[in-house]
Amino acid sequence: MRHICVLGSTGSIGVNTLEVIRAHPDLFKVESLTAHSNIELLAKQCAEFKPRMVVLGSVDAANRLNEQLKVMGLTVTVEHGAKALVTASTLTSVDTVMAAIVGSAGLLPTIEAARLGKRILLANKEALVMAGDLFMSAVASGGAELLPIDSEHNAIYQCLPDANTSNGGSRGKYSSLGVKEILLTASGGPFRNHSLDQLKEVTPEQACAHPNWVMGRKISVDSATMMNKGLEVIEAHHLFGLPSEQIKVLIHPQSVVHSMVRYIDGSVIAQLGQPNMKTPIAYGLGWPLRIDAGVTELDFTTAHDLSFEPVDLSRFPCLALGYQALATGGLAPTILNAANEVAVDSFLNHRIRFTQIAELVERVLNQAQVSGAVGLDGILEADKVAREHAQIMVKGLSA
Ligand code: NAD
Ligand code: MG
């Protein structure tokens, strides 16, 4: 039996994780859950999964949950704040952490769990983008098992020979095993066929209505700008130890081929499935065994079109910014991620236009000091400075 901490249990990935866990009570026991502010859902999750500890974002939220749990007759330790997130992910009783907090807030609890050698199921790509080398060395030094949950990386993991990202740090490993490149697929999002002029007018509601996937608001906007793919290129670089020239991106509107690996002998191996995150979640939870994910099968008895096309970088410059940050190295990915988090939040709050997300990230990235210490303190400082810089630019743009 595996003992699980779900960081971000009230989000899209968190809820899907608990659905897979619910179907396998003999395999999984929930030890801790965390949420930012959704007290109602967290209370329901406490009643069903009986964790020993839960964490909320604020003292006020924690007090309100405590009251609710008292009425429900449940005994659960309720804590709040960033330190408590680390406590939840590093409990001795926890052996597996689903990292499904959105954004940089997920970094510390995830990296600390990795240092302690827990199995990490990584959905929170921002943590790896902002602190890739540090994160991978925590995984290596702690002897943690790192399993990618992001559907593309999970697909690649399944298509690689001898996949084991715990030694993703060993650069060149896959080249010596005949891997030529990896092909990340992208749906192209809701605005795949929009012109630049049309992109200027799109609303947060339109950006969050993804054609194939149901996801949280931040990643939905990232998918619409294709910054999601930029972040995923950096994520793939760290997970699989491949240089950016060996990481390609293709538009695949049907989201059935989740990604592919091309070998030097001409073979291309792809992983296919429904666009449903329960498949990669179940893969990570059950690994190395396969378990039922509760997902409808792909039906090959009816006609399917699987099409692929290149990305138009003039309409989706965020992908190019991802490659640029990876090539620049140092603190550039940290800055890219921080500026993007501020820009997406500002767009969702109607303070900037959709097309200004890329403009803002580009300006912050190009004006920032990218060299500097890439230890945890240096990363957190660069993250903070880039956010402040981005906030000032938002004020200028929305004035
Ligand atoms: P979401 O917005 O639905 O959920 C986010 C979760 O994080 C919630 O439980 C929320 O309470 C918590 N949270 C938010 N801000 C927090 C903070 N400051 N401190 C502590 N907790 C906080 O997001 P999601 O779609 O579930 O995505 C979660 C992560 O998984 C993201 O990093 C995303 O990029 C990644 N991911 C998601 C999908 C998907 O299909 N949803 C696919 C691939 C990767
Ligand atoms: Mg993805």
Side-chain angles (χ1 to χ4, degrees):
M1 176 167 274
R2 301 208 69 93
H3 295 261
I4 320 279
C5 161
V6 184
L7 297 169
S9 67
T10 54
S12 166
I13 294 288
V15 166
N16 277 299
T17 301
L18 290 176
E19 278 181 28
V20 176
I21 289 178
R22 174 184 296 131
H24 300 279
D26 49 327
L27 296 180
F28 308 112
K29 161 87 184 77
V30 173
E31 297 289 333
S32 52
L33 298 173
T34 84
H36 199 46
S37 57
N38 190 342
I39 299 164
E40 273 63 44
L41 182 53
L42 190 57
K44 277 194 197 137
Q45 294 177 343
C46 285
E48 180 176 358
F49 295 100
K50 311 263 181 331
R52 64 174 71 210
M53 179 192 184
V54 299
V55 179
L56 275 158
S58 68
V59 65
D60 178 54
N63 287 340
R64 283 194 285 142
L65 179 68
N66 255 325
E67 276 163 32
Q68 209 156 319
L69 294 177
K70 220 183 274 169
V71 175
M72 296 161 80
L74 293 171
T75 322
V76 183
T77 304
V78 181
E79 296 192 17
H80 70 273
K83 270 200 183 144
L85 289 176
V86 176
T87 312
S89 70
T90 57
L91 289 175
T92 330
S93 56
V94 165
D95 56 35
T96 304
V97 175
M98 168 55 80
I101 287 176
V102 58
S104 60
L107 175 64
L108 291 180
T110 310
I111 209 167
E112 288 307 322
R115 279 203 181 107
L116 292 177
K118 313 229 186 242
R119 175 183 293 183
I120 309 293
L121 311 182
L122 187 73
N124 179 209
K125 67 193 84 182
E126 295 90 349
L128 196 56
V129 169
M130 74 184 283
D133 289 337
L134 198 73
F135 191 96
M136 293 310 291
S137 45
V139 167
S141 70
E145 288 162 348
L146 177 59
L147 295 163
I149 298 302
D150 209 350
S151 57
E152 297 76 1
H153 306 74
N154 187 270
I156 289 162
Y157 189 83
Q158 295 191 44
C159 298
L160 281 171
D162 179 27
N164 181 355
T165 56
S166 13
N167 56 20
S170 60
R171 305 274 182 246
K173 170 184 165 183
Y174 290 118
S175 299
S176 69
L177 293 174
V179 170
K180 181 157 191 245
E181 61 190 11
I182 58 182
L183 301 162
L184 293 176
T185 53
S187 69
F191 310 136
R192 181 168 58 91
N193 296 319
H194 275 44
S195 68
L196 259 180
D197 280 340
Q198 286 174 310
L199 285 175
K200 285 186 186 141
E201 305 302 330
V202 300
T203 64
E205 290 61 41
Q206 291 167 330
C208 289
H210 196 280
N212 307 343
W213 297 93
V214 182
M215 310 181 285
R217 284 165 71 79
K218 195 262 176 181
I219 185 175
S220 295
V221 176
D222 283 346
S223 298
T225 61
M226 290 198 68
M227 179 59 89
N228 185 46
K229 222 41 64 175
L231 300 177
E232 289 184 355
V233 167
I234 302 174
E235 183 184 11
H237 162 78
H238 289 295
L239 285 172
F240 307 118
L242 292 170
S244 61
E245 311 82 73
Q246 285 175 278
I247 306 171
K248 304 270 167 64
V249 175
L250 276 176
I251 300 275
H252 167 52
Q254 296 83 10
S255 297
V256 167
V257 173
H258 294 309
S259 278
M260 305 182 265
V261 176
R262 191 197 301 277
Y263 288 81
I264 49 172
D265 61 2
S267 300
V268 178
I269 300 187
Q271 186 259 357
L272 282 68
Q274 296 282 8
N276 187 323
M277 288 306 292
K278 280 198 255 181
T279 295
I281 289 168
Y283 181 91
L285 283 169
W287 190 85
L289 304 175
R290 299 268 180 175
I291 61 172
D292 185 354
V295 173
T296 4
E297 284 179 358
L298 278 179
D299 179 5
F300 291 108
T301 62
T302 56
H304 275 287
D305 280 329
L306 297 180
S307 58
F308 301 91
E309 55 191 76
V311 183
D312 176 358
L313 290 176
S314 67
R315 287 182 301 126
F316 297 102
C318 284
L319 175 59
L321 291 173
Y323 275 108
Q324 180 192 324
L326 179 56
T328 308
L331 292 163
T334 312
I335 293 158
L336 172 92
N337 179 64
N340 182 58
E341 285 192 30
V342 172
V344 171
D345 189 60
S346 307
F347 168 67
L348 285 171
N349 290 304
H350 301 272
R351 298 186 65 194
I352 62 172
R353 284 171 188 272
F354 182 77
T355 43
Q356 287 176 321
I357 296 174
E359 284 168 37
L360 197 141
V361 174
E362 183 174 16
R363 280 167 63 191
V364 175
L365 191 60
N366 289 342
Q367 291 172 19
Q369 171 67 262
V370 295
S371 59
V374 287
L376 188 55
D377 290 344
I379 285 168
L380 295 177
E381 179 62 19
D383 175 81
K384 183 168 152 260
V385 170
R387 277 167 203 275
E388 286 163 3
H389 192 176
Q391 292 287 8
I392 292 168
M393 282 191 191
V394 168
K395 275 199 190 121
L397 288 171
S398 55

